[in-house]
Amino acid sequence: MKAQNYQLFFIVVWLVMAPSTELTAKTDSLIRYVQPLIGTAKMGHTFPGATVPFGAVQLSPDTDTIPYAVGGKYNPEVYRYCAGYQYDDPTIVGFSHTHFSGTGHSDLGDFLVMPTTGPLQLNPGTAAAPHSGFRSAYQHANEAAEANYYRVKLDDHGILAELTTSTRTGMHRYTFPEQAEAHIILDLMHGIYNYDGKTVWTVVRVLNDSTVTGYRQTNGWARTRTVYFALSFSKPFKSYGSKDFEETQVYRGFWRKFDQTDNFPDLAGRKLRMHFDFDVAPGEQVLMKLALSPVSMTNALANMEAEIPHWDFDRTKREGQDLWERELGRIQATLPAEEDYVNFYTAMYHAALMPTVYMDVNGQYRGLDYEVHTAAGFTNYTSLSLWDTFRAFHPYLNIVNPSRNADIVASMMAHYEQSALGMLPIWSHYANDNWCMSGYHSVSVIADAIIKGVYRGDANAALDACVATASQRRYEGIGEYIDRGFIPDEANATSVSNTLEYAYDDWCIAQLAKYLGRQEVYDRFMKRSENWRNVYDPAIGFMRPRHADGTFRKNFDVLETHGQGFIEGNTWNYSLYVPHNPEGLMAIMGGQKRLARYLDSLFTMHLPDRFFANTEDITREGIIGNYVHGNEPAHHVAYLYNLAGQPWKTQERVRMILKNQYHNGPDGLGGNDDCGQMSAWYLFSSLGFYPVSPGSDEYWLGSPLVERATIRLENGKTFSVEAVNQGDDNVYVRQVLLNGKPLKGYKLKHADIMNGGTLQFTMASKR
Amino acid sequence: MKAQNYQLFFIVVWLVMAPSTELTAKTDSLIRYVQPLIGTAKMGHTFPGATVPFGAVQLSPDTDTIPYAVGGKYNPEVYRYCAGYQYDDPTIVGFSHTHFSGTGHSDLGDFLVMPTTGPLQLNPGTAAAPHSGFRSAYQHANEAAEANYYRVKLDDHGILAELTTSTRTGMHRYTFPEQAEAHIILDLMHGIYNYDGKTVWTVVRVLNDSTVTGYRQTNGWARTRTVYFALSFSKPFKSYGSKDFEETQVYRGFWRKFDQTDNFPDLAGRKLRMHFDFDVAPGEQVLMKLALSPVSMTNALANMEAEIPHWDFDRTKREGQDLWERELGRIQATLPAEEDYVNFYTAMYHAALMPTVYMDVNGQYRGLDYEVHTAAGFTNYTSLSLWDTFRAFHPYLNIVNPSRNADIVASMMAHYEQSALGMLPIWSHYANDNWCMSGYHSVSVIADAIIKGVYRGDANAALDACVATASQRRYEGIGEYIDRGFIPDEANATSVSNTLEYAYDDWCIAQLAKYLGRQEVYDRFMKRSENWRNVYDPAIGFMRPRHADGTFRKNFDVLETHGQGFIEGNTWNYSLYVPHNPEGLMAIMGGQKRLARYLDSLFTMHLPDRFFANTEDITREGIIGNYVHGNEPAHHVAYLYNLAGQPWKTQERVRMILKNQYHNGPDGLGGNDDCGQMSAWYLFSSLGFYPVSPGSDEYWLGSPLVERATIRLENGKTFSVEAVNQGDDNVYVRQVLLNGKPLKGYKLKHADIMNGGTLQFTMASKR
């Protein structure tokens, strides 16, 4: 299905959706621009379901059950299901309560719920034969997705399903059109990236005729993860039952003193599915609440009772949408076209989904040490995809939502303190670290937050944690890196990207040390930060894998992504990855003209298909020439034209990327949204500046997309961007005034924003 | 190996052991009579290792690793390993920290530790080829077992291993005879009654160079069970490592940023074994402490630090043995022969192993609701094998250790309150119920404890719990039993024994209701208590399976145990199971003479081998005629001669059973000790009386084995038994005086004991 067709679909969906919501009446609403379906086709890996900002529950439809692995072997088909939903799929299996947004690998999908009518079916069936199981066909024409609201008609069962949430509780409203015997399925085997053995154990306790608790323990991308739940129905079930699908059950029948199939309230096993049975009248609505906890069933019940002590679905929806209005209202933007509004506010929406609250209403959470902790004075978060998000997402929070980012840093410090390894998170994942991607970019987030005055915890302890993490000799070649100044090719498959990213991270540590007056640390890590030079091969003008003996790898392909010493990028993209010392990089590359020529080539050369096939995570549209916007390593690259003395090309390219890489429609993202990083790039660039090197207090100027935008800062001040003479063709910046005074150079200071004021760009159609 | 040979071995062991202990010097010591090796051969199912009274840790050698099941099928060979150890086995696999004592099914075996020298081996190997793995050959001549002390020389490794414990902490002392590279193996896969899938999940965290924590989660006889540990070495290890034996590991290599094989402190998986490596000098001792917790690793560490804050092995041993002295000192007995002392005090020892403390030093434990609770005002216990122990073990505690039994009742009430089923325990098993055996005998223990003034909690709440349990229509035919007055044969495989036991239990409920003045409950349950009549077939004079239509089963074998409607007993034994109304039973059987003739036949008839083969749990020696002492249902039967007007036959039979069924030597128990029940029978009968019907305040007289015994009651009084003219041949009781006054009839009141005083038997060699 092509993009145009998607857009046609979208209009239909929009029309269907509009009358159903009370929002249409609120003309000042920003959430009406949010299209959760953007990114749900192809490689965006976003989910369309309901959630509140940074909510612990992401209640969303899952459209297939392809196993992640069979017999221990990875099944590449599963990749499409990182967020559980693929727009092109014809059926919905059910609604599960946890989803990552925009990741390139996955997990979660806890507690899938599916309402059905007709004969009881406890298998999901297959998409090819939907009537073979409890899954259902559906039509996009009967589907609507808003911030904190999702609705779909389940054709096979004739049920209208509606979903909304609070932070820790999902709320379901099922409308049954005619009298029927209804079953609500609770599938404890289901999971995203599921495989035999992933569900380690599940427990269910039926407390009374409408309340159920339990937990699901998994081994997946997170090695040891347990999520507890409490579930409540608005109407007592008339009966219930379960089936354990485990083939060999040594003890299950051995001491079976009960018939445990029906109405048995005390269940446990690896492969459980349950059903709750109701008689429903025509038009009857059955509601369900399902709350999560990382700690206990008791806490899950308390979360539910604290957050949604009623059965008013519309109230829960409205309260969550009010949270979204407040979240989106942090930037009041005027944009050239309706489509830009959708892109802009959907980007703000996508940049407020992850990380997620990992803490009960009473402050408790389960730590990496498997103990129950109480977060003292902060909200604890999990699901930090730091390789992606250190670049623009956390800097974005430092302006727009700094108290949130301070809590994220506090969460990272708690992770460090609980870690048996004594490391800050690489990818914080429900009290696990999945160690995904390269670098140790916690240090960038921490340095940036402290230097910008956002994190007010113990800064010296935070620096100690950064140093400890960067000193973990056994992790991903760090020992070799410390000893040699680079990671040898033979020691690590991604030796070059790791070396480059460690060098940048080390510079962040040095900046924090400087800020704290710790000279020894500063000197040591400034020295380490220059290690990028050790993998630059002046003979070819590219970063290149190097052997332990100092020689560069002979067999090397500058266009290929895989097997060349990099991750999610070829050397054309990665050779520009010295964000902390671009001047040094330019010098080694041969000066301004050589850098400009390199950039021109990057954006205009043709990357043959055989190389594209290996770029990962992105559609063909996610590439401009050989510039890969769908992955992160080159996100700062368009801004480097400033340094090369050709700022107009930064302006051209940024505006081009904003238009080409983001559009309305399910396939509106050229690559994984990557937990808000792709969206944060959009937001910064739309505002006309970008944090090329987080850890510094500088932003580099680009070309704004907004006509006007006002950021409501937490300190009570406002910072506005104006683009005089804005227009789709007027991408060039003729003049920049900061509070009426010309801004020299191409950099903006963080303090310039935080002090409040106006940044005025005057746009033109020619440079 | 015949019994005589065992005894020879025992003398050797005794001689080897004696010089090593300081106890030989203490002539007033009672623990010198304790032989933990009694019952470790054949069917006794006791363990020889170290533990304190009712301790949470039972640190004991395991001698084989036969799987409980392969491919879901039960392997009958495993039955011999209920306690982990079989005396005839030639090798020791290692020392694990939890063991049941005398059960007929099993579980546990957590955290097997094995010290080795020579090349590292991470597989246990096989008994046939001991050098194939880390297990070791050993000689009984080099083995010694005392209360809270076990020692063995591991021949393959040349290591002297010694074990001792506190309540929650095991302490190991390994002496290395020569300079060696030593490895201490920690096997997290090992378990008693192990099978693929039993170990649900394990976690290990290495906190520093000598401290390790973690947990083991299992699915076995207990469905969902987790035990946490903390481990500390007296000497830092120089290195450590692990192996995960799981074949398919979907994620384990996928995001592996670390080499996790060696010195990696953060492990998790289903099939982990670890090794800790040491260089040892000649004669060097390496000590280890391993503490358990049902709650968390933090609590396990706290338990260790509270209980054994030092490395003085001898002190821990001594403190535990002092506990045993106090426990055994509750009865000061004078017995005819050294062998009788061993039998008597080993019985007291075996009657103080289970149930076990299930609570941390801070009072916390994990309940059936998976939540962490704090035991308020009582010590929480688990591992209640109530079908066995309601008969004599709990009545024994009510005299000798009533505050302990009060806490056990409080633990049962906590179980009830946490149960999703709203039931008192059938077989309380680490916050699970394995629902093992028939009846709902919690009610007997509760009624007995309240009526005897032992349990001082809310008695009405306890009665409510009893009534609720007895009203669980879905459990084991209770619904049919309530509706029809018996369980139909076609509804339940053990319909007759269940009907008989429910009837007795109902009588207990009625007695408690009467005590509390709750007439309606009394009337209802007294009526139910007569349901035993409904399975008595007057045509054949036996209890017999009955169909729903009221007819008795045609195809019925009075000698066969299996498939006849009973569990662990044939109808010859079970037809006497109306302990609460033996007069009624005698009447229906035809009066005194008919009962006496029935008893004579039972004790003297020959049970053909084909029937014996199915009696379960006992050796051929566990049978006298067709009377099966090795199983419990007939434990009261020898006392029924009193009712039949032939008390001298009670006296003969009791003394015969005391001599025939209990003797020194590893095969000294004719059947499973059944968590102290077999031993409690021995203790009561040795004292000359027995609780035929717990729930009443009466004991029936027999023939004492002791010459004199004084029970130190908790109320400060003493109760003494004297046997004037005692002797092996003087089994007949000529006269009984209570405090100098003749005791009429054959019954003793509980108050007669608790008021203190002397029960004097005058013995004779002829009736």
Side-chain angles (χ1 to χ4, degrees), chain B residues 557-594:
Chain B
D557 190 323
V558 296
L559 291 176
E560 176 59 54
T561 292
H562 270 232
Q564 306 300 312
F566 301 91
I567 191 161
E568 289 199 12
N570 57 22
T571 197
W572 262 99
N573 283 272
Y574 258 111
S575 289
L576 296 166
Y577 194 74
V578 189
H580 54 297
N581 191 358
E583 295 82 2
L585 177 68
M586 184 168 69
I588 213 171
M589 278 185 158
Q592 275 194 323
K593 283 186 186 169
R594 292 289 292 270

Side-chain angles (χ1 to χ4, degrees), chain A residues 387 390-391 437-441 476 481 486-489 492-505 531-532 535 543-546 556 561 563-571 573-575 577-580 633, chain B residues 257:
Chain A
W387 181 84
F390 81 90
R391 302 165 201 265
M437 300 303 284
S438 41
Y440 33 80
H441 300 301
E476 272 268 270
Y481 171 85
F486 66 96
I487 305 171
D489 189 25
N492 188 267
T494 57
S495 64
V496 189
S497 51
N498 264 321
T499 298
L500 294 171
E501 295 183 10
Y502 291 167
Y504 159 71
D505 288 334
N531 282 342
W532 61 271
V535 287
M543 303 293 175
R544 183 172 187 175
R546 198 166 182 186
F556 180 60
T561 291
Q564 305 299 311
F566 302 91
I567 190 161
E568 289 198 14
N570 58 21
T571 196
N573 283 274
Y574 257 111
S575 290
Y577 195 74
V578 189
H580 55 296
Chain B
K257 302 293 181 145

Side-chain angles (χ1 to χ4, degrees), chain A residues 52-160:
Chain A
V52 297
F54 306 98
V57 165
Q58 307 84 31
L59 179 52
S60 190
D62 295 335
T63 59
D64 220 330
T65 55
I66 291 173
Y68 169 67
V70 179
K73 284 192 186 164
Y74 174 67
N75 169 16
E77 272 304 292
V78 78
Y79 182 72
R80 291 158 26 84
Y81 295 93
C82 283
Y85 181 97
Q86 270 291 344
Y87 193 81
D88 290 346
D89 282 350
T91 62
I92 284 174
V93 180
F95 310 106
S96 70
H97 290 76
T98 53
H99 296 83
F100 287 143
S101 177
T103 53
H105 192 73
S106 205
D107 205 343
L108 314 186
D110 303 289
F111 311 120
L112 182 117
V113 173
M114 184 66 169
T116 69
T117 55
L120 175 65
Q121 288 179 304
L122 279 177
N123 267 303
T126 63
H131 296 289
S132 62
F134 59 70
R135 76 167 71 205
S136 173
Y138 73 107
Q139 308 298 323
H140 290 301
N142 298 324
E143 184 188 35
E146 303 174 21
N148 199 36
Y149 179 69
Y150 177 84
R151 190 185 70 210
V152 71
K153 182 162 174 271
L154 300 169
D155 291 343
D156 293 6
H157 307 299
I159 297 168
L160 180 70

Side-chain angles (χ1 to χ4, degrees), chain B residues 385-501:
Chain B
S385 184
L386 292 159
W387 182 84
D388 300 298
T389 58
F390 81 90
R391 301 165 202 266
F393 172 74
H394 293 282
Y396 162 77
L397 292 184
N398 281 341
I399 298 171
V400 170
N401 205 339
S403 60
R404 186 94 61 181
N405 207 45
D407 284 358
I408 290 169
V409 171
S411 305
M412 289 160 66
M413 288 301 295
H415 177 117
Y416 168 75
E417 284 155 17
Q418 295 153 10
S419 159
L421 297 158
M423 284 183 75
L424 287 161
I426 302 298
W427 208 116
S428 161
H429 187 159
Y430 283 77
N432 289 259
D433 202 319
N434 63 40
W435 301 313
C436 184
M437 302 302 286
S438 39
Y440 33 80
H441 301 301
S442 280
V443 306
S444 165
V445 177
I446 288 172
D448 202 49
I450 293 175
I451 289 168
K452 291 176 179 168
V454 165
Y455 176 66
R456 302 213 169 87
D458 185 338
N460 276 292
L463 176 59
D464 291 342
C466 293
V467 170
T469 302
S471 307
Q472 285 286 343
R473 296 183 56 88
R474 289 162 55 93
Y475 180 75
E476 273 266 271
I478 290 179
E480 299 264 16
Y481 171 84
I482 291 172
D483 294 344
R484 299 176 190 274
F486 65 96
I487 306 172
D489 189 26
E490 49 272 40
N492 187 266
T494 56
S495 63
V496 188
S497 52
N498 264 321
T499 298
L500 294 172
E501 296 184 8

Side-chain angles (χ1 to χ4, degrees), chain A residues 197 217 221 262 270 371 474, chain B residues 197 217 255 262 270 298 474:
Chain A
Q217 178 183 354
W221 203 18
D262 293 319
R270 293 178 179 88
E371 303 291 337
R474 290 162 56 90
Chain B
Q217 178 183 354
W255 296 108
D262 293 319
R270 292 178 181 87
T298 296
R474 289 162 55 93

